[in-house]
Amino acid sequence: MAEKTLIIVKPDGVQRHFVGEIISRFEKKGFKLIAAKFMQISEELARKHYAVHEGKPFFEGVVKYISSSPSMVMVWEAEGVIDMARKMMGATFGYDAESGTIRGDFSCSKGYNLIHGSDSPESADFEIPIYFTGEDIVEYDLADEKWLYGKND
Ligand code: IDP
Ligand code: MG
């Protein structure tokens, strides 16, 4: 089974109408969507998700931001998806992120940066079960997998 990552279109991404744009970029890249839930993340789940940042100056702010309005929460799968998705997202702050990345193209804010993506396999293993049960994850084959990965013989 290929690697999985948790991707969230954050409240500013939903409010600014970027759900389709972001899904489209990952689809075109060739990632496989295996779970999705449109939901307002509770303060409790936000605290759990960002527990690694507890005690940092921005912790309360990011908890408030992420629970302030609905988000599109998803799991995407591909070989090497975690690093590829992070590259496609760009650097954490919109004003630092390179053009061509999601944050670089559409965000110029510090805290409000449109999207979350797991930063390591360990983070993905911790984050995915916060939002999804095993039953929510849909395993299936993409018809073009052999073309995507060049395993055509
Ligand atoms: P990442 O989302 O690129 O992995 P992290 O350092 O894990 O960045 O921070 C988690 C989230 O917390 C960021 O995406 C951003 O929304 C928010 N954040 C991080 N640092 C700051 C800050 O210095 N000020 C305001 N918000 C911040
Ligand atoms: Mg992070």
Side-chain angles (χ1 to χ4, degrees), residues 28-47:
K28 287 177 192 160
K29 179 76 172 171
F31 299 167
K32 179 163 63 174
L33 180 64
I34 58 169
K37 196 184 281 183
F38 184 71
M39 62 186 284
Q40 183 147 357
I41 297 171
S42 66
E43 187 186 320
E44 189 189 347
L45 286 190
R47 286 187 183 281

Side-chain angles (χ1 to χ4, degrees), residues 29-30 79 142-153:
K29 179 76 172 171
E79 290 176 17
L142 276 183
D144 60 0
E145 232 149 78
K146 64 180 186 174
W147 295 102
L148 283 169
Y149 293 113
K151 292 174 184 166
N152 200 27
D153 9 78

Side-chain angles (χ1 to χ4, degrees), residues 11-152:
D12 54 328
V14 172
Q15 293 287 348
R16 294 183 53 213
H17 317 279
F18 282 117
V19 174
E21 168 76 28
I22 290 170
I23 289 178
S24 177
R25 286 188 180 210
F26 290 139
E27 269 197 306
K28 287 177 192 160
K29 179 76 172 171
F31 299 167
K32 179 163 63 174
L33 180 64
I34 58 169
K37 196 184 281 183
F38 184 71
M39 62 186 284
Q40 183 147 357
I41 297 171
S42 66
E43 187 186 320
E44 189 189 347
L45 286 190
R47 286 187 183 281
K48 204 166 167 184
H49 178 143
Y50 285 113
V52 65
H53 295 304
E54 216 168 330
K56 293 183 187 167
F58 63 86
F59 178 69
E60 292 301 329
V62 76
V63 166
K64 197 171 168 197
Y65 159 45
I66 216 75
S67 58
S68 63
S69 181
S71 294
M72 186 68 183
V73 187
M74 299 171 279
V75 181
W76 289 84
E77 186 179 86
E79 290 176 17
V81 71
I82 292 174
D83 285 347
M84 286 191 282
R86 294 283 299 189
K87 281 187 190 144
M88 292 168 71
M89 287 161 54
T92 299
F93 304 128
Y95 62 80
D96 282 332
E98 283 197 31
S99 288
T101 66
I102 292 163
R103 289 165 168 171
D105 285 351
F106 306 124
S107 162
C108 54
S109 158
K110 192 166 186 181
Y112 280 29
N113 55 7
L114 302 171
I115 182 166
H116 167 82
S118 306
D119 64 6
S120 65
E122 295 70 34
S123 301
D125 286 347
F126 171 76
E127 292 168 359
I128 292 169
I130 295 176
Y131 300 98
F132 298 102
T133 67
E135 282 179 10
D136 295 328
I137 309 281
V138 185
E139 298 288 356
Y140 63 102
D141 292 326
L142 276 183
D144 60 0
E145 232 149 78
K146 64 180 186 174
W147 295 102
L148 283 169
Y149 293 113
K151 292 174 184 166
N152 200 27

